[in-house]
Amino acid sequence: MEAVILILTLLFVAFMALGVYAGVKAVRAAKRGVDRTITQARRSVEDTALRAKSYGQPGVPGELAQLRLTLRTSMRATQDALNAGVAEDASLAESLGLFERLSAHGRELDDDLKRLEREPDRATVATLLPDLKERTERITHSAESLRWAARDRARQFADDDLAALNAQIDLEAGALRHWTSEEPVSQGGAAGHSWSGPAKEDAPPSLTPPDPRLRTDYPWQKSAKPETTN
């Protein structure tokens, strides 16, 4: 009896621990979702504000806002492209590591641009604009090189896969048309004497054409409408 009570107690403790663990994971997942939503909303607000400054404020403030907007847009697009591609192509992990190093320079530049937006000495900031533009172009050029290289690699893999698939389909199509070479032999055999009785009238199953109305495996195919009798 004591052993049964001990086993039940252990099971109860195990279920409680499992429930607590599942609850903690659910809370953490919900927190990550909320943090992600807040981050995306903050980015959208910041991008909208920068876009408004770049078009609405002439001179140094507008140029600084345009540089920040260009930098953030390029870096975010490259990050999204690499993160999406590394799940299917592990070789992009090295490219993602290089991008992380590039991101450190991008964040440093963005902080400098943001700090200069609050600088009251516009004349001094104006003298710094050529260097800031050059830094922005160097970082965005590297980010774009990584992004387009990853896209070209993915497209090349897709083209190679399509070429291999086309070759396999051509082979299968030729195999499905094998009766065109066997038909003269069959006709020659039928013209001579047959000692095994009359030939069967049923066509071989392999030559029976499939009903295309019964194949609705793909979304671009329409289901066959039932036939109605009047």
Side-chain angles (χ1 to χ4, degrees), residues 122-141:
R122 299 301 184 189
T124 302
V125 176
T127 61
L128 300 176
L129 280 176
D131 180 66
L132 295 172
K133 290 180 180 179
E134 181 183 359
R135 289 174 60 189
T136 303
E137 291 176 358
R138 291 174 61 185
I139 294 175
T140 56
H141 175 73

Side-chain angles (χ1 to χ4, degrees), residues 6-103:
L6 178 60
I7 294 174
L8 292 176
T9 302
L10 292 176
L11 289 175
F12 177 76
V13 172
F15 282 126
M16 288 294 294
L18 183 61
V20 171
Y21 176 74
V24 171
K25 288 195 66 176
V27 171
R28 289 179 178 176
K31 184 178 182 299
R32 286 195 298 268
V34 172
D35 293 341
R36 191 180 302 111
T37 301
I38 293 175
T39 301
Q40 292 176 352
R42 185 184 297 114
R43 287 176 178 175
S44 299
V45 172
E46 291 178 353
D47 289 348
T48 302
L50 289 174
R51 193 171 289 106
K53 289 180 181 179
S54 63
Y55 291 110
Q57 295 185 3
V60 174
E63 293 189 36
L64 291 175
Q66 182 60 47
L67 289 178
R68 289 190 65 196
L69 184 62
T70 301
L71 176 66
R72 292 160 64 93
T73 302
S74 178
M75 298 296 286
R76 188 177 302 130
T78 302
Q79 184 180 40
D80 293 342
L82 292 178
N83 287 333
V86 75
E88 300 179 357
D89 187 359
S91 62
L92 290 179
E94 184 176 356
S95 299
L96 193 58
L98 292 175
F99 176 76
E100 292 298 332
R101 294 173 55 187
L102 183 65
S103 296

Side-chain angles (χ1 to χ4, degrees), residues 93-179:
E94 184 176 356
S95 299
L96 193 58
L98 292 175
F99 176 76
E100 292 298 332
R101 294 173 55 187
L102 183 65
S103 296
H105 294 276
R107 287 190 293 268
E108 181 181 0
L109 176 59
D110 187 68
D111 291 339
D112 291 342
L113 294 172
K114 187 175 182 179
R115 183 168 54 254
L116 291 175
E117 284 180 342
R118 300 188 296 269
E119 175 60 45
D121 188 358
R122 299 301 184 189
T124 302
V125 176
T127 61
L128 300 176
L129 280 176
D131 180 66
L132 295 172
K133 290 180 180 179
E134 181 183 359
R135 289 174 60 189
T136 303
E137 291 176 358
R138 291 174 61 185
I139 294 175
T140 56
H141 175 73
S142 296
E144 290 170 359
S145 296
L146 285 174
R147 182 170 70 251
W148 284 109
R151 291 176 177 174
D152 291 342
R153 181 180 178 85
R155 185 171 61 252
Q156 183 61 44
F157 283 163
D159 291 342
D160 292 344
D161 183 70
L162 180 59
L165 179 60
N166 289 337
Q168 293 178 0
I169 290 176
D170 290 340
L171 291 175
E172 180 65 16
L176 292 176
R177 296 189 180 95
H178 69 281
W179 70 83

